[in-house]
Amino acid sequence: MSDTLVPGIPVTAAQPPERAPTDWRTAAMQRRIRRRYGAERRFRFLGLSAVVISAGFLAVLLVTMLFNGASGFLQTQIALPVDFARAGLTLDAAQLKGPGADLALAGAGIERATTAAAVAAYGKDGAQLLSDGAWLSVRAAVKHDPAILATRATIWVPAAGMIDVAAKRQGAPAAEAIVARLEAKQALSTGFNVPFLTASDSNDPTRSGIWGAFKGSLFTMFVTLILAFPIGVLSALYLEEYAPRNRWTDLIEVSINNLAAVPSIIFGLLGLAVFLGTFGLPRSAPIVGGLTLALMTMPVIVIAGRNAIKAVPPSIRDAALGVGASPIQVVFHHVLPLALPGILTGTIIGMARALGETAPLLMIGMRAFIASPPGKLSDPATVLPVQIFLWSDQIDRGFVEKTSAAIIVLLVFLLAMNGFAIYLRNKFETRW
């Protein structure tokens, strides 16, 4: 083979030198192979170590919460013999019917009769063994069966905080000695703490519960969802399907990404200035909390929605347009249903984040002492994270286990929401 660079002078093309075969048996090559395999083993070890350490921290958190909070789901009760026939309660059956029964029993001296029965059964300090709300259990027993007013009955009432803690082997030695005497008389029992799930906040740890805060969380999340979800999804659809590509669109996209990274307390300051200061909405109400959290959650939904819409193949749009669908039919009949699983997943994760927020709700005043559950969106209320914060600031030992138990409830709620998001993604996800 030849080529001609100068007319009349043939030049032979240079042949590339033959490459010598690699000798994998040489010492240098063996060292390189050993280093390569060693680097791979170290990387795998570091990756496995990171997973083990992360799982270890998670296990420590869960075990600590379960160990400290398991006792919060238990309640200690004391058997209280009450001689209603000698208590001097002047009541008839008619007074115990209707909405005025509680007032009638309180006026008849049911609290005084409870204190006298405790002193008669357990000595002059017997009243200190009972919870401040023990008389409420006696009142409930009388309302349930008015016939006991003419007899002597034994009613199980909540024990005082020190007795409750000591019965769980966490109290002072003196209180544990009292518990031992009560157990010897078979006057003490420990069972599931139903009021913890059905009652609201209280100054007495034996009467405090999470229902008021849980209901406030539900109301707040409802307002957040009905505002953030439609606005976020429609914003994502417009930006991805209709908005022109110019500097204003780029500015909006950058602003949304920056809002998703803004500290949550900034949204609390915004809610304080706008919803409370400007519009004069009621303080510490679920509607204000929902509006504030909606501002924080909306950027997350927009970003998740845009990513889900962008993942729909262009061929779906082209095929729909090819068979005569209008642009809006393409979006709402084809693109949105296919992107909905990803949108729902992002929405639930954003809602779970909002559920665990405390700082913005503290800024709008949702840290008040709420003794009754809210009845509507404008009633004063609190939420689970704020309730946990308030209980953690108490000095009573009984509130420590209540704090851990409330954290367990919140973690279960968050895990359920995240599990639901994973279920939706796996059930409706379409792989292309």
Side-chain angles (χ1 to χ4, degrees):
M1 179 178 180
S2 63
D3 197 359
T4 303
L5 297 179
V6 180
I9 303 176
V11 178
T12 303
Q15 298 293 330
E18 293 185 2
R19 183 175 179 181
T22 303
D23 188 1
W24 300 98
R25 295 171 296 179
T26 61
M29 185 57 67
Q30 291 295 324
R31 286 195 298 270
R32 290 177 60 186
I33 294 174
R34 284 195 296 270
R35 285 199 301 269
R36 185 186 305 169
Y37 288 164
E40 183 179 355
R41 286 193 297 269
R42 287 192 296 272
F43 178 78
R44 294 176 62 181
F45 175 76
L46 291 176
L48 180 61
S49 300
V51 172
V52 171
I53 292 173
S54 301
F57 280 119
L58 178 61
V60 169
L61 171 65
L62 294 178
V63 170
T64 302
M65 289 298 100
L66 289 174
F67 180 78
N68 292 331
S71 57
F73 294 97
L74 301 176
Q75 183 184 45
T76 303
Q77 293 184 323
I78 294 179
L80 180 64
V82 183
D83 191 351
F84 291 101
R86 297 183 179 180
L89 300 177
T90 55
L91 290 169
D92 53 32
Q95 292 178 288
L96 299 179
K97 296 179 181 180
D102 293 344
L103 184 61
L105 284 169
I110 193 71
E111 185 174 1
R112 172 181 49 80
T114 302
T115 303
V119 172
Y122 302 110
K124 62 179 181 178
D125 296 329
Q128 299 179 6
L129 304 180
L130 308 184
S131 167
D132 292 339
W135 68 277
L136 297 175
S137 298
V138 178
R139 186 184 69 180
V142 173
K143 289 174 60 179
H144 178 71
D145 184 14
I148 65 175
L149 287 174
T151 62
R152 176 184 175 89
T154 299
I155 301 174
W156 289 91
V157 298
M162 65 173 184
I163 301 299
D164 182 55
V165 173
K168 300 166 185 175
R169 303 299 183 260
Q170 300 173 356
E176 291 186 359
I178 297 175
V179 168
R181 291 198 298 269
L182 292 174
E183 289 177 342
K185 297 179 181 179
Q186 296 183 347
L188 204 68
S189 70
T190 301
F192 185 74
N193 190 1
V194 176
F196 177 72
L197 300 178
T198 59
S200 297
D201 196 9
S202 173
N203 291 324
D204 184 2
T206 62
R207 297 169 54 195
S208 58
I210 63 169
W211 173 239
F214 188 78
K215 192 174 181 180
S217 295
L218 293 179
F219 281 0
T220 303
M221 290 299 102
F222 172 74
V223 175
T224 303
L225 182 62
I226 63 174
L227 290 176
F229 181 71
I231 297 176
V233 172
L234 292 176
S235 300
L237 284 173
Y238 176 78
L239 290 173
E240 198 62 35
E241 298 291 332
Y242 297 104
R245 294 296 180 261
N246 52 37
R247 65 179 62 183
W248 296 110
T249 306
D250 295 338
L251 179 61
I252 292 174
E253 292 179 0
V254 172
S255 300
I256 291 174
N257 292 330
N258 288 334
L259 283 175
V262 169
S264 59
I265 195 171
I266 303 300
F267 292 99
L269 292 172
L270 179 63
L272 176 64
V274 176
F275 302 130
L276 297 182
T278 303
F279 294 106
L281 294 177
R283 192 177 183 88
S284 187
I287 187 171
V288 180
L291 288 169
T292 304
L293 295 181
L295 295 176
M296 185 188 71
T297 308
M298 203 178 304
V300 178
I301 298 177
V302 173
I303 294 174
R306 292 195 62 191
N307 291 333
I309 294 169
K310 193 180 299 183
V312 178
S315 58
I316 300 295
R317 300 172 176 85
D318 297 337
L321 291 172
V323 297
S326 65
I328 196 168
Q329 287 176 330
V330 172
V331 171
F332 286 96
H333 293 179
H334 300 279
V335 176
L336 184 59
L338 293 174
L340 195 58
I343 295 174
L344 290 177
T345 301
T347 300
I348 294 175
I349 292 175
M351 294 293 294
R353 176 196 170 193
L355 178 64
E357 286 293 341
T358 305
L361 300 180
L362 292 176
M363 296 302 301
I364 62 172
M366 293 191 74
R367 58 167 298 166
F369 177 81
I370 307 299
S372 59
K376 54 183 183 296
L377 297 179
S378 58
D379 288 346
T382 187
V383 293
L384 274 175
V386 177
Q387 187 68 77
I388 292 170
F389 170 77
L390 295 176
W391 282 349
S392 66
D393 205 31
Q394 299 288 334
I395 60 175
D396 195 316
R397 180 68 179 81
F399 281 108
V400 175
E401 61 183 17
K402 294 292 188 298
T403 302
S404 300
I407 291 174
I408 293 175
V409 174
L410 182 60
L411 287 176
V412 170
F413 199 4
L414 291 174
L415 289 175
M417 292 183 68
N418 285 281
F420 185 59
I422 295 173
Y423 168 77
L424 290 177
R425 184 186 63 193
N426 294 336
K427 182 176 179 60
F428 298 106
E429 185 177 20
T430 302
R431 299 186 181 274
W432 310 102

